[in-house]
Amino acid sequence: MIGKESTAGRATKFTFLGLWLVFTVFPLYWITITSLKAPGDIFAFPIAYWPEHFSLENYSGLFGKADFGVYLTNSLIVATVAAAIATVISMLSAYVLARFEFRTKSALLMAALVTQMIPTFIALGPLYLLMTDLKMVDNRLGLILVYIAVCIPFCTVMLRGFFENIPDALEEAAMIDGLSRFGALFRVLLPVMRPGIIAAFIFNFVNCWNELFLSVTLMNSDSNKTVPTALNGFISSFNIDWGSMSAAAVLTILPTMILFAFASRHIVQGLTAGAVKG
């Protein structure tokens, strides 16, 4: 009886997981198939879940008629630079919060958490006025600075958990051997924290890569627009260019999928290492 119940339970579990997998993967499959259809076949009836003829017309039009290569380059530069700088700053601030005691420590942690509760669009107006005064509207450097400021609070709290999981004795032993505090941090602690740092960088990169509201607000010219802004441009008041949008969506998803594929092991280690304080 126990064996039958166990078999039935496993069958139910795998059935549920299979349905959930189909539910999750189907939108990606449909976007990909739509991007490979000729424009005239996208609205054909009955719906073709596997087209007879595949076409790269949507992709060629994407780079021929629009500056999508420029958008991809802008997104790659902005997301990579912002994620790298935000990760370094967050790492240093997290180290201070984890290793030192000072009067405003609790207030700083609370402020970092509270910022995650505020919707981005609430700050769009004041932020636009500020960036206008600084002459940084429609400027990739301005967008990078904004993204850095947005990523730092949560990333700091995240990395603080990693530092707290590393015993103080490891750092003290390195300092007894002659290393300075910064030497112990960069030569001893950081190699141990590599999974956490990689996880933090990927978290920041994906957030910057996919962000829409700030990019639409601060970027006006085609030469500075990022990929999310370009995707938003395929939607007009009277029409949606589904073919080009699907092709652009596929190209937008690919970098993050490749990043997760190569760094998945470090991400899992990083998230599990920082989840519980040892």
Side-chain angles (χ1 to χ4, degrees):
M1 183 68 179
I2 296 177
K4 291 182 179 179
E5 291 178 353
S6 178
T7 301
R10 286 198 297 270
T12 302
K13 179 178 67 176
F14 285 117
T15 300
F16 176 78
L17 291 176
L19 292 174
W20 181 255
L21 179 64
V22 171
F23 179 78
T24 304
V25 172
F26 182 77
L28 297 177
Y29 165 79
W30 189 248
I31 290 174
T32 304
I33 289 298
T34 302
S35 70
L36 294 172
K37 291 180 179 180
D41 297 335
I42 294 177
F43 299 101
F45 189 83
I47 298 175
Y49 292 94
W50 185 262
E52 296 182 1
H53 304 286
F54 290 94
S55 172
L56 296 177
E57 186 175 345
N58 292 316
Y59 290 93
S60 61
L62 196 63
F63 289 94
K65 300 176 183 177
D67 297 326
F68 197 74
V70 175
Y71 305 147
L72 282 175
T73 302
N74 289 337
S75 283
L76 185 62
I77 293 173
V78 170
T80 302
V81 174
I85 296 177
T87 302
V88 172
I89 296 175
S90 299
M91 177 191 66
L92 295 175
S93 58
Y95 174 77
V96 172
L97 291 173
R99 289 292 191 258
F100 298 96
E101 294 295 333
F102 49 93
R103 183 176 301 177
T104 58
K105 178 178 178 178
S106 298
L108 287 174
L109 287 172
M110 182 60 66
L113 292 174
V114 168
T115 58
Q116 305 306 304
M117 306 176 190
I118 303 174
T120 304
F121 65 85
I122 291 180
L124 289 180
L127 181 62
Y128 183 82
L129 294 177
L130 174 63
M131 299 305 287
T132 301
D133 292 337
L134 295 175
K135 309 298 182 183
M136 285 191 174
V137 173
D138 199 22
N139 187 319
R140 286 185 299 187
L141 177 59
L143 187 61
I144 289 173
L145 293 176
V146 172
Y147 282 169
I148 291 172
V150 170
C151 290
I152 284 176
F154 179 81
C155 193
T156 297
V157 176
M158 176 181 173
L159 289 176
R160 174 176 173 264
F162 296 113
F163 278 114
E164 290 184 338
N165 283 334
I166 301 176
D168 294 342
L170 186 64
E171 183 180 1
E172 293 170 357
M175 295 174 67
I176 291 173
D177 288 339
L179 291 178
S180 64
R181 184 172 290 278
F182 275 101
L185 170 62
F186 287 99
R187 297 180 61 181
V188 178
L189 298 188
L190 294 193
V192 177
M193 281 189 58
R194 184 174 62 178
I197 293 173
I198 292 175
F201 173 80
I202 292 177
F203 172 83
N204 290 334
F205 180 87
V206 172
N207 273 354
C208 297
W209 181 269
N210 294 329
E211 200 283 323
L212 173 63
F213 291 114
L214 295 173
S215 179
V216 170
T217 302
L218 298 178
M219 294 293 143
N220 301 322
S221 63
D222 288 339
S223 60
N224 289 323
K225 286 182 179 179
T226 56
V227 169
T229 309
L231 287 172
N232 187 63
F234 291 115
I235 303 175
S236 64
S237 302
F238 305 100
N239 183 41
I240 299 178
D241 189 350
W242 290 108
S244 298
M245 177 180 285
S246 298
V250 171
L251 294 176
T252 303
I253 294 170
L254 279 178
T256 54
M257 291 183 65
I258 294 173
L259 188 63
F260 274 101
F262 280 101
S264 58
R265 179 171 60 89
H266 295 289
I267 296 172
V268 173
Q269 291 178 357
L271 293 179
T272 54
V276 181
K277 180 179 178 180

